[in-house]
Amino acid sequence: MRASLILIALALGTASPQAHETAPDAQSSTERTSEEAKQIPTAADFAKQAAQANLYEIQAAEIALQRAKQPGVRDLAQGILADHKKAQEDLIEAAQGGNEVIDDKLEAAQSKQLQALREAGDGEFDALYLSDQLRSHQAAMEFLSAYAENGEAGPLKTYAQAAFPTVRMHLVKVKAHSNSD
């Protein structure tokens, strides 16, 4: 569980270097429980990271609709775009219900990855987009799962539980397209 949360944090750009310094086996049970609790984001942090993930997926899908060569990749991007726009609307509603504010700014790493998609050569775009979607949806599944299981009770936890199946479906579709190359 701790390793999964660290991977999520790394994928979302939120891990600190100190999180890797002590091996789990060297920690006492109490320290591990305390460390695991620190890895579950607050409601405010969850709302921010989930909003950034949705915004990233929306922008990446918009780029894919313009650049993808394979019709299946364009279809995938269209579905991801529609689902993440809806997810963002649902997240905003959940955040308001939990008195949280949504920030609409991407992390620097997300902006950099979008730039890489924009600059990819025509022959490499589809593979890069699919690889990126595989990585981002795996991270999102772990992030949503962790919050759905251990996050603060309330509308954001309900959002995480409701969003998880859609993200899982996206991951299955991305894997299918990746394997069909």
Side-chain angles (χ1 to χ4, degrees):
M1 174 75 172
R2 184 175 185 273
S4 294
L5 293 174
I6 289 172
L7 288 174
I8 295 166
L10 286 171
L12 296 172
T14 59
S16 68
Q18 294 81 15
H20 308 294
E21 291 177 1
T22 307
D25 296 336
Q27 296 175 320
S28 72
S29 171
T30 305
E31 289 171 345
R32 268 186 294 224
T33 303
S34 174
E35 185 65 25
E36 287 173 1
K38 290 178 189 174
Q39 296 295 327
I40 303 300
T42 64
D45 288 341
F46 173 81
K48 177 183 177 181
Q49 292 172 11
Q52 289 170 333
N54 282 329
L55 289 171
Y56 174 80
E57 293 301 338
I58 290 166
Q59 291 180 30
E62 288 171 341
I63 295 168
L65 288 174
Q66 295 171 2
R67 305 246 4 247
K69 298 295 181 206
Q70 298 174 31
V73 174
R74 282 193 303 274
D75 291 344
L76 175 68
Q78 186 62 52
I80 287 173
L81 178 63
D83 290 343
H84 280 279
K85 280 184 173 182
K86 172 77 168 91
Q88 190 72 343
E89 291 170 8
D90 293 345
L91 177 62
I92 290 168
E93 185 177 314
Q96 289 171 344
N99 295 318
E100 301 298 338
V101 177
I102 296 289
D103 184 3
D104 63 351
K105 294 182 182 160
L106 295 174
E107 290 282 326
Q110 292 169 316
S111 294
K112 185 176 177 180
Q113 186 59 32
L114 288 172
Q115 190 61 33
L117 288 172
R118 287 184 194 98
E119 294 174 355
D122 288 342
E124 62 187 23
F125 178 84
D126 289 5
L128 180 61
Y129 177 71
L130 290 172
S131 172
D132 182 61
Q133 291 303 298
L134 181 65
R135 178 198 50 77
S136 66
H137 281 87
Q138 285 172 331
M141 273 186 48
E142 292 178 19
F143 178 69
L144 288 169
S145 176
Y147 198 81
E149 291 175 20
N150 301 307
E152 298 172 31
L156 289 170
K157 185 171 185 166
T158 302
Y159 165 84
Q161 293 165 338
F164 183 83
T166 301
V167 172
R168 182 177 51 213
M169 177 191 63
H170 289 171
L171 183 59
V172 168
K173 288 180 177 182
V174 168
K175 285 180 178 179
H177 284 287
S178 296
N179 293 332
S180 68
D181 290 342

